[in-house]
């Protein structure tokens, strides 16, 4: 199986990017997700050009493990937080050779 890499661009509601990141950190979600089976990378990066944008880089050992992640209770909690702070989400799949 090939690893799966996802680039997820979040556009926060105006001025809400840091509030989103702070709530994710307070809930310990990033480290919890990083410990999920098959998670090779799960990191957020702030845009320096747009104060409301954020990039999430996810790498999973397999597509099946990423699908399991989507059903995990961590994602339910993250979705609740995203609904409060994030206005738009764009997902790009990256092929890894």
């Amino acid at each position: 199986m090939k690893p799966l890499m996802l680039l997820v661009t979040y556009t926060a509601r105006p001025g809400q990017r840091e509030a989103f990141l702070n709530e994710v950190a307070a809930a310990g979600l990033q480290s919890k997700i990083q410990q999920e089976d098959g998670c090779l990378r799960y990191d957020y990066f702030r845009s320096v050009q747009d104060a409301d944008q954020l990039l999430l880089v996810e790498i999973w050992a397999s597509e099946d493990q990423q699908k399991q992640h989507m059903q995990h209770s961590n994602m339910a909690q993250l979705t609740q937080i995203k609904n409060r702070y994030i206005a738009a989400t764009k997902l790009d799949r990256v092929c890894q050779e």
Side-chain angles (χ1 to χ4, degrees):
M1 286 184 265
K2 289 184 181 180
L4 172 65
M5 180 180 215
L6 301 174
L7 303 177
V8 185
T9 303
Y10 291 143
T11 302
R13 290 185 173 90
Q16 296 298 302
R17 180 179 75 181
E18 295 306 314
F20 169 77
L21 289 171
N22 289 339
E23 193 162 335
V24 169
L29 280 172
Q30 185 173 353
S31 61
K32 289 177 185 177
I33 292 170
Q34 288 169 335
Q35 295 172 25
E36 288 180 30
D37 185 44
C39 184
L40 304 176
R41 182 171 194 164
Y42 195 93
D43 293 303
Y44 292 99
F45 298 89
R46 292 168 177 87
S47 170
V48 295
Q49 290 131 347
D50 185 336
D52 294 324
Q53 267 198 351
L54 188 62
L55 176 68
L56 169 61
V57 177
E58 295 184 53
I59 303 177
W60 295 89
S62 72
E63 189 167 353
D64 287 342
Q65 288 167 312
Q66 191 273 338
K67 286 180 181 177
Q68 290 174 2
H69 155 70
M70 294 303 293
Q71 302 304 314
H72 198 283
S73 61
N74 291 329
M75 276 307 293
Q77 187 176 4
L78 182 61
T79 297
Q80 290 177 347
I81 296 169
K82 281 174 51 180
N83 287 341
R84 287 194 288 278
Y85 300 106
I86 302 300
T89 304
K90 178 182 175 248
L91 175 68
D92 292 303
R93 293 173 60 109
V94 179
C95 292
Q96 292 190 302
E97 301 286 326

